[in-house]
Amino acid sequence: MTATDRSIELINAAAQAAADRLAHDIIAYDVSDVLSITDAFLLASAPNDRQVKSIVDEIEEQLQKQLGVKPVRREGDRDARWILLDYVDIVIHVQHSEERVFYALERLWKDCPEIALPEDAIKTRGKAEEHAQLHGVTEGEQS
């Protein structure tokens, strides 16, 4: 089984919205073969809590505006360190860079096929590391 066309459409719209808000390291996985509850995961990160929230807000706004969908669940708003948006067909994880490194969701899903994303989203790969180097922060120290 593979992710549905609708799931891919949602992932691409969400990835573009995240890229528009300068998210780092956007990647998506087709998890439909290993999970029965959703088709795909989108992962993105940001170097601070305010930007995490901004990315999530933009994803929600764009998916509502472009595709007429709202998440059935939104978790993690209070701390804004890891916000999860559940759209049933897809689940979006926007994490603070520290949580991204610590929880390493990519390691869990690395055996799942990657979903092709818009060019703007692909260009975000390596941005977290680049940001850390520019600001003299070593991995695990970001805030």
Side-chain angles (χ1 to χ4, degrees):
M1 196 167 128
T2 60
T4 65
D5 290 342
R6 177 65 172 171
S7 296
I8 303 287
E9 181 181 31
L10 291 167
I11 285 286
N12 280 297
Q16 184 61 55
D20 291 346
R21 284 288 185 249
L22 306 178
H24 295 170
D25 302 316
I26 302 168
I27 192 164
Y29 294 102
D30 180 337
V31 296
S32 60
D33 282 342
V34 293
L35 293 176
S36 60
I37 57 170
T38 193
D39 281 350
F41 280 168
L42 179 73
L43 310 176
S45 56
N48 62 62
D49 303 351
R50 184 176 293 155
Q51 190 175 357
V52 167
K53 190 151 178 33
S54 174
I55 292 164
V56 169
D57 290 344
E58 182 69 8
I59 290 170
E60 260 194 286
E61 182 179 322
Q62 291 305 316
L63 289 182
Q64 170 66 36
K65 188 190 308 185
Q66 294 176 29
L67 302 169
V69 295
K70 291 182 179 182
V72 295
R73 187 175 67 206
R74 180 175 170 152
E75 295 181 3
D77 268 333
R78 194 175 86 234
D79 294 330
R81 302 283 295 176
W82 179 351
I83 299 177
L84 179 141
L85 295 173
D86 184 351
Y87 285 89
V88 180
D89 293 331
I90 69 167
V91 175
I92 300 166
H93 301 268
V94 182
Q95 298 174 298
H96 187 288
S97 299
E98 290 174 356
E99 271 67 14
R100 181 88 179 255
V101 170
F102 183 79
Y103 290 101
L105 295 178
E106 289 93 338
R107 251 192 353 245
L108 293 173
W109 305 110
K110 70 178 186 234
D111 294 333
C112 295
E114 244 184 81
I115 295 173
L117 296 175
E119 187 66 29
D120 289 344
I122 293 168
K123 289 178 184 176
T124 69
R125 308 273 171 90
K127 291 289 183 186
E129 186 177 329
E130 184 181 306
H131 180 270
Q133 288 174 350
L134 282 172
H135 294 85
V137 178
T138 59
E139 196 171 279
E141 270 183 18
Q142 295 179 354
S143 58

